Amino acid sequence: IEQKNISYHMSDLNFYEYIFKKIYLALVKKQYKNFYCGVWPLPHALTSSVEQYPLNPQTFAFDYGKHSATQQGCSLLDAAFRRYFSLIFPDYTAGRWTEEFLKCQISTDHNDCENYPNDDSSERYNLSVSAGQASLNAATVWGILRGLETFSQLVYQDDLGSYFVNETFIEDFPRFQFRGVLLDTSRHYLPVHAILKTLDAMSYSKFNVFHWHIVDDPSFPYQSRSFPELSKKGAFHPATHVYTQSDVRRVISYARMRGIRVLPEFDSPGHTGSWGKGQSDLLTPCYKGGAPSGTFEVTSVFPDSYIHLGGDEVDFSCWRSNPHVRAFMQKMGFGGDFPKLEAFYIENIVNITSANNKTSIVWQDVFDYHERVGAHQDFTVLVEVWKHGCYLCKVRQVTKAGLRVILASPWYLDLPGPTHNWARYYTVWPLAFPGSEKQKRLVIGGEVCMWGEYVDATNLFPKLWPRASAAAERLWSDEKQTSSVEKAFPRLEDFRCKLLRRGIQAGPLNVGHCKHEYQGV
Amino acid sequence: IEQKNISYHMSDLNFYEYIFKKIYLALVKKQYKNFYCGVWPLPHALTSSVEQYPLNPQTFAFDYGKHSATQQGCSLLDAAFRRYFSLIFPDYTAGRWTEEFLKCQISTDHNDCENYPNDDSSERYNLSVSAGQASLNAATVWGILRGLETFSQLVYQDDLGSYFVNETFIEDFPRFQFRGVLLDTSRHYLPVHAILKTLDAMSYSKFNVFHWHIVDDPSFPYQSRSFPELSKKGAFHPATHVYTQSDVRRVISYARMRGIRVLPEFDSPGHTGSWGKGQSDLLTPCYKGGAPSGTFEVTSVFPDSYIHLGGDEVDFSCWRSNPHVRAFMQKMGFGGDFPKLEAFYIENIVNITSANNKTSIVWQDVFDYHERVGAHQDFTVLVEVWKHGCYLCKVRQVTKAGLRVILASPWYLDLPGPTHNWARYYTVWPLAFPGSEKQKRLVIGGEVCMWGEYVDATNLFPKLWPRASAAAERLWSDEKQTSSVEKAFPRLEDFRCKLLRRGIQAGPLNVGHCKHEYQGV
């Protein structure tokens, strides 16, 4: 069967021809099996045909459209072109290259090459692949990055090793603005290259926020400029188990190149066990000690407009035991109401943060304390819902109070469970609570959490991938088109094989195999 | 504090001196923290002192004792010396080397260099480390291999990078003869180097049997000489997802060099879904088709005296549906009793196996069928107990029938659960059933099972290690000395760091860190 005989353009065909070709194609489906590979996460609008275009790695190129606001020299896109070229053509070994070939031309409306991605960055893109030409258009470089990822997933190899892409038209944009992955580098130290590789994998699933839970009780690996003693005494090891300022800059830059924001979390007043080792006057009783200048450092090191202040799981019994704390509360008129003290503490930090033009994110505990003490008026924070149980009840409650929400509860991927329980993370419906349209719009996204009690560089990747990708589709794609676990499964299996091919140690979903198994052992 | 002042020989000291030094040492404990690292699995008898001997990688050597039955040219030990030299001295970068140095002299009673380890191989060894000399004595090369592993774990580095070993006297031998790890290469294909690395890790925990569940329903990766069609049609891919005869030889040879037996399993009559693809007359109705000559091939390719015949989870409804099977049963007088047919089938294969001078292992299902049909007299098989529930009841029942047992039930490590639940695999008491001494002796060992439904090369290592090591100590060490989870925990944490240092991707047990984190990401 000659390929030409069965290829068609939608526009060229009348209805009967169309039906005839459909049936005919079903009969020769085997020859076209690669065509059925999908894009993960699913684009909002995608039409494609069986018209195949060969790609020739010797002539293929990305280039900038004539009217594009970004042009050669935009280091962010120049680097992305090189990166995606390698991802699209992992080998040159096989394939008969034809005279025909296809190029990919990109175009942006703005020249935002040197910016950092932020909460108002558009990630929308249009991609069309037709005879001789792929066109990728977006308002911003961030949209182009998302489109390049999609384009790379459209390309496939036949059994002889030749590369092809099918005629395709895509309009795509994220459902939620905030799509995060949390890594915890305090309970176990993660080497910088494990973080960078996570950023790579995140970009393959179109995640756009790296929530860096950088310090906590067990260790303080962040090497502070203002308080160097914190990591010197609080890190597992002051030389080998720290993130230097240069490491942090590298992570932020690597993330920016992939359209990923870095959201730092310095969780207080709970979860600060390791802080006290290097700053003896920092913790209770003098809990306000380092906060102002520390916050100032953080706001200058991390460019993102959001900062996560933590605020979860405060152990009031510690404060209760301290006579100075009790005296302070008397003076402030809090009586014995420790949530009031917590509210006072957090409000102080939030004010400092907002004086630095940053938006504060807090764990839901803070909302709960403030709700109890009636303090949440004029208190603009973003609330991250993390507790189990009826998390949508909490989402409803927070949005009713007019505050924005990030949902994490259903995506605690560190919790024990089989590798294959991806469907649990897929069948999450973040807006399925009774509430107004305005409330729904306050849900700005969600986040996969990988806490570190039992996770380090040895098991991070097979625990995170491809299960995090299930959440990624929920956060990026249209819910109606992606409500079926059964339909998603073969696409996710295919995507997992793509991750392996790209060197990401993604765990298996079920019995089966990939053409290219993981070779990193 | 000069080291000389606080070092002592047990024999040189009277009681008061001894107590004084104990207290003194407790005060300077920090300086000696490395000394408290243990050996995993715990040797049966170990005494050691704080007397430290420096090791100099420029002069250290293993050599053969004058009266040793094995001498230079014994490739198995020559290779082991090179291997353990690298494991003991991972770097030369630091350390001030002294004039003093220590060598390790080995001696064996037998020259069994060219043999394969088998069920009667002694693994006993004695190791003494004292001034200027370490001596390692064993009847066999297998004992020497175990002793080299122990010696390698005794060596530690101080903060400057210098290597030391303390004065130590060890008498050691395995509690159980059979200490296995099962890998399943049918549900997912494991690349050969993942198997080889598993063999390395097994030798670090003194496992001695690699149970290769090589084929099953989903795929038939074993490239048979007699039936090449089996893998050609039954493997996931006939070229990339198979084990060639040369691969199999390589695995057997690599295992032998580490004192590990390779126990092949060709599970029938259930779990043969993939067999039928390449051998159309093999499965029901003509279920006896390939068995005799296939068994013959297996017995010649795999040198071990044991062969695992499977026999678990037979789906009688398949046989019941087949008129030819029913007619055969009529003829044989089995009526409708399918366990009788199963017993007949297995007895035939066992007879073929034993005609090839091999011992058959079967899953407990076979014992249960035979028990039911009263056929187990004169039926010499080794029974592997794998079902959950009261597995010790089954062990009791099988040993009462005079058959030998391998225990697997409590060690299904592929089942979902947190990485840190090693204690579940540690607190297993294989002989805690009411029965005679003779019955207890019939329990020849145990096995860790890593079934492949959700396991492949991406997540095998952090799932297997160090949890399998918990089972390894149960199978090697004295139960009374190793009954405390609390005492075992710091030793296992230390051993896990040793595994990381050796490049084994062993998962974390809890919050914490290793001096050398896993770098393989």
Side-chain angles (χ1 to χ4, degrees), chain A residues 188 456 458 496 505 510 512, chain B residues 188 241 456 458 496 505 510 512:
Chain A
H188 282 100
D456 69 6
T458 64
R496 185 242 167 187
Q505 197 176 346
N510 209 325
Chain B
H188 282 100
H241 287 61
D456 69 5
T458 64
R496 186 241 166 189
Q505 198 176 346
N510 209 326

Side-chain angles (χ1 to χ4, degrees), chain A residues 63-71 105-107:
Chain A
D63 58 33
Y64 294 87
K66 207 172 160 185
H67 302 292
S68 172
T70 49
Q71 291 291 338
Q105 192 171 78
I106 71 98
S107 179

Side-chain angles (χ1 to χ4, degrees), chain B residues 102-123:
Chain B
L102 182 135
K103 288 195 179 187
C104 181
Q105 192 171 78
I106 71 98
S107 180
T108 64
D109 299 343
H110 307 298
N111 184 349
D112 47 356
C113 268
E114 304 304 322
N115 290 8
Y116 287 91
N118 220 321
D119 62 339
D120 59 353
S121 299
S122 163
E123 294 169 284

Side-chain angles (χ1 to χ4, degrees), chain A residues 258-276:
Chain A
R258 284 149 188 82
I260 296 172
R261 303 158 60 187
V262 177
L263 168 67
E265 177 180 355
F266 287 80
D267 190 353
S268 75
H271 295 282
T272 53
S274 67
W275 303 31

